[in-house]
Amino acid sequence: MAKRTANPIERYIVLYIPWLLSLLFANDAIVSYFIAWLGSFFIFFICYSGYIKPIPTDRNIGEQLMRPIFLVQIVFVGYMACSSIFYFLNLLGVNDLSGQGIYFIVDKEKLALTAKCQQYYALGHAALASGMILFMNYDFKPQYRTDRNKLANVIFQIAVISLPISILSIRIPGLSQFYFQFSSLSFIAGTLALAFAIPLKKAATIFFSLLLYISNFYQALTSGFKEPIIISVLVLGIFLYPNYKKIVTLVFGPALLLLFIFLPTYNHVFRENAWGDNVDSDEAYKLALDATINGDEEEDNSTWGFLVFRLSEVDMFTTYLQSTPANVGYYGFTLVKQSAVAIVPRIIWPGKPITEDWVMERVYNAGVVKRGSTVSAKPAYIVDGYLSWGIPGVFFSLFIFGALAQSISVKAEQLFGGYILGTALIYSGLFQIFWRGLSFEFLVNSVFWSYVTMLMVHKILLKKRILEKI
């Protein structure tokens, strides 16, 4: 008798076991939370084990880490679902890993809300993984190719050309959105060119690529945001990993850990000076670096405070759960419609409503921040899914997110002759928004115009015969 082959649908259902189990134990917030939280690691295992669909075999694992199933899923889910553990431990009384205080009283309502948020995270992760795996198909006949001997030079040229384009676009009214796309593309291209040049021992390319990387890293340090700094180190490590596995593991692993330890102090001091005291960025950078080295930090801005309240957005999610649908009804298709309007460039429609105002309106409605506050607290992508339709909204929005992230990567490899130019360069350079996600309106606008930019770059490379049709 022939061995029965499992139905693919049955295998996808396995991804949702953590969510279903967390619902089963919903009456015990602590048990439910940890089932849902550990569930994300279970989903990672299922994805990478090949149980539902094998990982692409056209490249070694270390040579395809920029594909969505790896980088996008790990970074996005790590930030969305896995980072909440510190907040939950803090609710249980753990303070800076020193244990529970003698007079600490557990807030059972907050504990239950956080567990419920984690249930949504488990559902969202399962839906995202489903979308990625379903559309993960790199087994296509190549239509374009590029000369591998010229690949390093081509990547470096793209890095150099993208930089002035990004600067020009931010100075032209209505085209500022292209600044972020081309500046990211320049950074990814420069980093990739450096990673290519080092093993090839091309001194000139190494020198200029290193200058470009240092320049981008300094811009990250003086941006006032943590993500660009971490990404600068992470991406270089990923690009170097295939050729220098041991060195990258020994150097970049600890480097990322140190960043998580010291960045909260650095970032707080920099913002306080550059944004609050009108100090120029160079001086603010020196003051922040000095404070970080000397360990000058307040309790609220400690590493533990960063891990609890700023690494994760679960605290804000609990506020949305309290207000919707109890006080504020589900938004239905309202956010989707606003996202469609957000695509229209302001240069075509000067009177277009300000996207930030739309997004902040639901923040005010939920009571996350007070109206008129200078704080910007945009809801995370999964929160917008919940605010739209509850559980179905979380499922469909995250499934679409995963499907889009994956299918665009496949399309990029089809257009640019494979992984290096397709996913590692163009996809990673233009679609970094998939790594973190944002509110519906910002994400849809960014993905749409990044896709248009990708098609334009494809046409230019074809015209310049950098790409050749097979």
Side-chain angles (χ1 to χ4, degrees), residues 342-404:
I343 292 174
V344 182
R346 196 166 296 279
I347 195 171
I348 296 175
W349 183 9
K352 184 181 77 170
I354 299 173
T355 306
E356 178 89 11
D357 292 345
W358 270 343
V359 174
M360 290 303 296
E361 191 60 31
R362 53 188 180 271
V363 177
Y364 299 141
N365 291 341
V368 175
V369 298
K370 294 181 179 179
R371 194 176 295 273
S373 172
T374 57
V375 177
S376 178
K378 303 177 186 68
Y381 182 84
I382 190 172
V383 173
D384 272 355
Y386 169 78
L387 293 178
S388 295
W389 304 287
I391 289 178
V394 170
F395 171 78
F396 285 110
S397 62
L398 268 298
F399 179 85
I400 292 170
F401 186 99
L404 276 176

Side-chain angles (χ1 to χ4, degrees), residues 67 215 231 264 287 381:
R67 281 175 171 165
S215 174
I231 288 172
L287 292 170
Y381 182 84

Side-chain angles (χ1 to χ4, degrees), residues 183-222:
S183 60
S184 295
L185 182 60
S186 177
F187 160 67
I188 292 291
T191 308
L192 185 56
L194 177 61
F196 258 83
I198 291 174
L200 294 175
K201 298 179 180 179
K202 293 186 175 182
T205 307
I206 291 175
F207 176 75
F208 288 110
S209 297
L210 189 59
L211 282 180
L212 191 59
Y213 180 82
I214 292 172
S215 174
N216 281 316
F217 189 74
Y218 180 74
Q219 287 183 32
L221 284 173
T222 56

Side-chain angles (χ1 to χ4, degrees), residues 229-292:
I229 302 171
I230 295 172
I231 288 172
S232 296
V233 178
L234 177 65
V235 170
L236 181 60
I238 290 175
F239 285 156
L240 289 173
Y241 183 77
N243 292 309
Y244 305 99
K245 292 182 175 64
K246 291 183 179 179
I247 295 176
V248 169
T249 303
L250 292 174
V251 174
F252 283 84
L256 287 170
L257 180 61
L258 288 173
L259 283 177
F260 274 100
I261 293 173
F262 293 111
L263 264 182
T265 300
Y266 173 86
N267 209 53
H268 170 73
V269 176
F270 179 87
R271 287 185 177 187
E272 194 175 57
N273 288 279
W275 297 3
D277 297 336
N278 295 320
V279 176
D280 66 77
S281 59
D282 289 334
E283 184 63 26
Y285 156 74
K286 294 175 184 176
L287 292 170
L289 195 61
D290 181 66
T292 304

